[in-house]
């Protein structure tokens, strides 16, 4: 029985969406509040959410990395 590739594609797409969402938050917050410094004390909560989204996206991409097929 052949393995379905659907779960890996779904996780990969969701991971890309998480990374794009994090970048959209960064750009949107920077434009709205004029804050591009991620180390500024008053803006740390929003940037910590952004960092968590990026890390979850990267972990999802690493989990779906293709393994070489054994012959």
């Amino acid at each position: 029985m052949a393995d379905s590739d659907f779960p890996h594609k779904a996780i990969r797409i969701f991971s890309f969406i998480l990374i794009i969402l994090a970048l959209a938050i960064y750009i949107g917050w920077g434009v709205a509040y004029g804050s591009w410094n991620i180390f500024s004390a008053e803006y740390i909560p929003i940037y910590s959410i952004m960092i968590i989204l990026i890390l979850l996206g990267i972990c999802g991409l690493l989990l779906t990395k293709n393994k070489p097929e054994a012959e």
Side-chain angles (χ1 to χ4, degrees), residues 14-16 18-19 52-62:
F14 185 67
S15 298
F16 279 122
L18 285 175
I19 292 172
I52 289 171
L53 289 174
I54 288 175
L55 290 177
L56 286 174
I58 290 171
C59 287
L61 290 175
L62 289 175

Side-chain angles (χ1 to χ4, degrees), residues 1 14-15 17 27 29-30 34 36-37 39 52 55-56 58 66-68 71:
M1 188 168 165
F14 185 67
S15 298
I17 290 172
I27 292 170
W29 191 267
W36 299 101
N37 183 7
F39 300 111
I52 289 171
L55 290 177
L56 286 174
I58 290 171
N66 293 337
K67 295 179 183 176
E71 294 181 25

Side-chain angles (χ1 to χ4, degrees), residues 41-58:
E42 63 262 19
Y43 301 120
I44 286 180
I46 192 70
Y47 290 126
S48 64
I49 292 171
M50 179 198 67
I51 291 169
I52 289 171
L53 289 174
I54 288 175
L55 290 177
L56 286 174
I58 290 171

